Amino acid sequence: MRGAGSTSGDRGAVKAGGAASDRARGGADRSGRPASKSAARQKDSNASRAGRDERAWAGSVDAVRLVALDVLRAVRERDAYANLVLPALLRERKISGRDAALATELAYGTCRSRGLLDAVIADGAGRPIDEIDGPLLDVLRLGVYQLLRTRIGAHAAVDTSVALARAEFGAGKAGFVNAVLRRAGEKSVDEWVDALAPRDPIGRLAFEFAHPTWIAQAFADALGAQAGELREVLAADDARPIVHLVARPGEITAEELALVTGGEEGRWSPYAVYLEGGDPGKLEPVREGMAAVQDEGSQLVALALTRAPLDGPDNGRWLDLCAGPGGKAALLGALAGIDGHRIDAIEPAEHRAELVRKAVHNLPVDVHVADGRSSGLAPGYDRILVDAPCTGLGALRRRPEARWRRTPSDVADLVVLQRELLAAAWELVRPGGVVVYSTCSPHLQETVAIVADAVRRTGATQLDARDLLPGVTGIGDGPGAQLWPHRHGTDAMFLAALRKPVE
């Protein structure tokens, strides 16, 4: 794939970064854009049309990197979710096996690493990231990711990226890509970290493992006395996770599911199975509704609700107050059905409520489209799960683009919602009943602070959540429980159990 813009003239432009580079970009300014905005729009439109025609060049653009690039573009332009866009593109373009694995690594890895990649690109380009056109930036991010965070050879990383730029935008911008990537390849990733990372310890670790500093700080705060584990947390969060399956109780055991799928039984949940890779949607037990994809941490939260000791009998009236997209409701429904119990599941958005209905098909679960804060349901529930909407900081490894979308300002609005939902659950639970509050976030404002406020306002009895997770180690000093990816291989789920006093 040589010859896609990798000329000696382009290599010279890398050093100069000035007039020669501008000429290589066909009259563009130093940002890679034409001087006028209207000219930029027209030029990009023409280049895009030309690129679509030129994508068919034999040997110029490979399908794997094109899929990854299209995922990056969807994430940037439409705020799409990479884990939803990529599988559809792989199916549409009939990419499977090792090619699908490479496309997944390139797309997800580039999304995860954006902060580090952008710092390197800005240094190599000699200008801020916001002065580089978005479509061109996607190509650069993909190329720098290959150079610094994969075993792909520098020659292949540069030449394939230049080919993508040439096919999309023409020879001028291909030269710009070539120049920036060759500059990026002059240092190893460790050398770039040494050169560009903040000097403070948390900021440096955040940069090294491609996290915003505020998220790394939130993890350190939640770790408390174990903050020395921050490197391990960030490293685990930056790694691609294995697939977790849940065996539906009453349908198949974890042992049977592991045998059928070639997986491994989980460590903590009696229903968990681990898979190293592959498309779980193609597995027969998943297609037949005997199993589903669900993080083991989420399984443990649902199980904790069923294990919490009540004051008085369990009348079999359970509630999932924040049910979408339905994973926990399905596990709870399967467990409830064994004992003849029934569950109400609430989801305010109709499209997500439909996902819940599909997840709980043939289970004793009634789905209600309502706001959990004012559901209209009659009080008297024995067990209520409040798996509250949150920042999702605990599941960043499964949502590669999410870490760059969240901001510290998101926490305040979510905390208000979390308090309101927990207060609504308290009104619906019977005296002697239990509310389990959980978040997929370790942020202290979303976890222990919410629970402490509820205990203070309601006089709730806080149970020791560690007793509800028998055999699970390293979940904190109580009474809440915090899971961690580096310790448990799960998302960083938090849970607390509150029992309503009997008057």
Side-chain angles (χ1 to χ4, degrees):
M1 298 182 69
R2 214 158 180 60
S6 57
T7 66
S8 58
D10 291 332
R11 286 194 294 273
V14 118
K15 302 293 185 185
S21 182
D22 290 341
R23 285 194 299 271
R25 290 193 296 270
D29 67 18
R30 295 189 64 190
S31 69
R33 294 173 176 158
S36 75
K37 291 183 178 179
S38 61
R41 285 193 294 269
Q42 183 61 47
K43 186 162 185 163
D44 285 344
S45 175
N46 292 340
S48 181
R49 283 196 298 271
R52 284 192 292 270
D53 294 336
E54 294 176 14
R55 280 182 171 185
W57 287 358
S60 292
V61 178
D62 65 275
V64 169
R65 287 172 175 82
L66 191 54
V67 164
L69 182 64
D70 287 343
V71 171
L72 300 182
R73 185 163 299 174
V75 169
R76 179 182 52 79
E77 292 182 346
R78 308 197 308 269
D79 282 340
Y81 294 98
N83 64 338
L84 299 181
V85 173
L86 178 62
L89 287 177
L90 293 177
R91 288 192 298 269
E92 174 188 317
R93 300 179 190 181
K94 296 180 173 56
I95 296 174
S96 60
R98 295 178 64 182
D99 285 346
L102 178 57
T104 301
E105 169 61 25
L106 295 181
Y108 289 0
T110 304
C111 286
R112 280 196 307 268
S113 307
R114 198 185 82 183
L116 184 150
L117 303 179
D118 284 1
V120 173
I121 291 168
D123 186 271
R127 63 205 60 123
I129 286 298
D130 60 8
E131 293 183 10
I132 301 175
D133 287 337
L136 198 59
L137 185 57
D138 294 333
V139 176
L140 288 168
R141 286 169 172 165
L142 182 60
V144 175
Y145 178 75
Q146 293 174 77
L147 280 171
L148 299 184
R149 305 199 91 188
T150 74
R151 296 178 182 177
I152 295 170
H155 176 85
V158 172
D159 283 5
T160 55
S161 300
V162 170
L164 283 172
R166 182 184 296 275
E168 290 286 324
F169 315 112
K173 290 186 178 180
F176 176 68
V177 168
N178 181 66
V180 174
L181 293 186
R182 292 189 181 279
R183 174 67 185 272
E186 292 174 357
K187 293 184 177 73
S188 69
V189 65
D190 291 339
E191 289 170 334
W192 279 116
V193 170
D194 288 340
L196 301 178
R199 297 299 98 183
D200 65 288
I202 290 180
R204 180 184 172 88
L205 284 174
F207 185 85
E208 180 179 352
F209 293 103
H211 283 68
T213 300
W214 76 273
I215 293 178
Q217 183 65 61
F219 288 174
D221 293 343
L223 285 165
Q226 285 74 47
E229 297 178 19
L230 181 59
R231 170 177 285 275
E232 287 75 20
V233 175
L234 295 174
D237 210 39
D238 197 37
R240 185 182 173 193
I242 63 173
V243 175
H244 290 184
L245 298 180
V246 58
R248 177 169 288 183
E251 295 285 345
I252 191 172
T253 67
E255 180 182 15
E256 292 167 339
L257 182 59
L259 287 172
V260 170
T261 60
E264 177 187 352
E265 291 183 64
R267 287 190 294 168
W268 314 112
S269 165
Y271 306 107
V273 169
Y274 306 151
L275 293 180
E276 285 298 329
D279 182 357
K282 295 181 179 180
L283 298 173
E284 185 176 354
V286 174
R287 293 200 311 269
E288 294 183 357
M290 302 170 68
V293 176
Q294 185 177 47
D295 183 78
E296 191 174 18
S298 294
Q299 297 176 41
L300 292 174
V301 167
L303 290 171
L305 180 69
T306 69
R307 295 166 175 167
L310 306 176
D311 192 339
D314 190 338
N315 300 302
R317 190 167 178 236
W318 302 355
L319 172 64
D320 185 348
L321 194 69
C322 311
K328 295 182 184 69
L331 179 54
L332 288 171
L335 293 168
I338 293 172
D339 294 323
H341 299 337
R342 194 156 195 92
I343 296 177
D344 287 306
I346 296 176
E347 168 54 48
E350 173 57 41
H351 71 282
R352 284 173 61 85
E354 184 58 29
L355 294 177
V356 180
R357 293 187 192 103
K358 291 178 180 178
V360 302
H361 180 64
N362 289 332
L363 294 172
V365 180
D366 299 308
V367 181
H368 307 266
V369 180
D371 189 324
R373 294 169 292 184
S374 55
S375 64
L377 297 176
Y381 287 94
D382 300 286
R383 304 178 187 273
I384 300 179
L385 174 62
V386 182
D387 184 38
C390 66
T391 55
L393 302 188
L396 296 179
R397 63 199 188 123
R398 299 194 187 278
R399 301 182 181 106
E401 71 290 318
R403 68 189 66 182
W404 307 110
R405 288 180 176 168
R406 284 298 188 190
T407 66
S409 62
D410 294 332
V411 177
D413 290 341
L414 286 165
V415 163
V416 172
L417 176 59
Q418 290 156 1
R419 286 177 177 163
E420 292 173 347
L421 288 166
L422 189 51
W426 198 250
E427 294 301 315
L428 291 171
V429 72
R430 68 164 176 82
V434 170
V435 175
V436 167
Y437 172 82
S438 69
T439 62
C440 191
S441 169
H443 197 297
L444 293 178
Q445 290 184 40
E446 299 185 272
T447 57
V448 295
I450 293 289
V451 175
D453 177 70
V455 170
R456 178 185 58 78
R457 287 187 294 101
T458 65
T461 300
Q462 185 169 0
L463 307 177
D464 194 329
R466 295 174 299 175
D467 296 337
L468 310 180
L469 303 177
V472 184
T473 58
I475 51 179
D477 299 326
Q482 179 66 61
L483 298 165
W484 290 102
H486 71 297
R487 294 181 188 169
H488 308 102
T490 68
D491 292 343
M493 300 292 300
F494 169 86
L495 67 137
L498 307 178
R499 187 165 62 205
K500 194 170 192 176
V502 178
E503 298 176 357

